[in-house]
Amino acid sequence: MIFEGTPTGEGLHVAIVVARWNALITRALLDGATDALRRHGVADADVDVAWVPGSFEIPLAARWLAGTGRYDAVVCLGAVIRGATPHFDHIAAAAMQGVAAAARETGVPITAGILTTDTADQALQRAGIKGGNKGAEAAVAAIEMATLGRRIAEGRR
Ligand code: RBF
């Protein structure tokens, strides 16, 4: 049997965690994510958003949301920009590894639209200012994983 998720979000409940740090960029990611969820059939009323201070705090909020059992998937959005700070690698790694751990612990799909870039300009480009929006990609990946999980659990294609 071959299992595959689909980009059909009808009836799904989705939570979004978004970091306030670099808010100009993360708001664009949030716009991309909510727009993608809507276009793929997720009802606005079935989408909840939780703001956290920075990307370092994303995993805990994602874990809390996933742990409620109310959501089919959680989408995480942040922007870690290298600039001149040695903190960059630590924050980026903690955010990504923490998100992965929260997904494993709960069994709820949690996707990461967390940008890690050298400059704010690069982050803006990946937040849909000129083209693709990584928030939208993370939202569609969440829908795909939620539908894949259902199909695997039910043993059907
Ligand atoms: N959070 C981000 O989401 N993106 C960043 O680029 C970012 N840079 C930071 C740089 C420094 C030097 C510090 C101290 C924090 C930064 N944070 C950033 C915030 C971090 O994710 C977290 O919210 C704070 O460290 C509080 O725990």
Side-chain angles (χ1 to χ4, degrees), residues 64-120:
W64 285 335
L65 289 159
T68 64
R70 295 199 300 265
Y71 302 102
D72 298 293
V74 179
V75 180
C76 298
L77 305 173
V80 191
I81 298 170
R82 186 182 294 273
T85 170
H87 281 76
F88 171 91
D89 293 308
H90 301 295
I91 292 172
M96 295 304 283
Q97 287 166 14
V99 165
R104 285 195 304 270
E105 285 168 17
T106 59
V108 175
I110 306 180
T111 61
I114 301 174
L115 304 178
T116 54
T117 60
D118 287 327
T119 66

Side-chain angles (χ1 to χ4, degrees), residues 11-12 21 23-24 27 30 33-34 37 66 94 96-97 107-108 125 129 131-132 147 151:
L12 294 182
W21 195 284
L24 181 70
R27 279 183 193 283
L30 179 61
T34 52
L37 292 174
M96 295 304 283
Q97 287 166 14
V108 175
Q125 282 176 26
I129 303 301
T147 54
R151 287 171 178 208

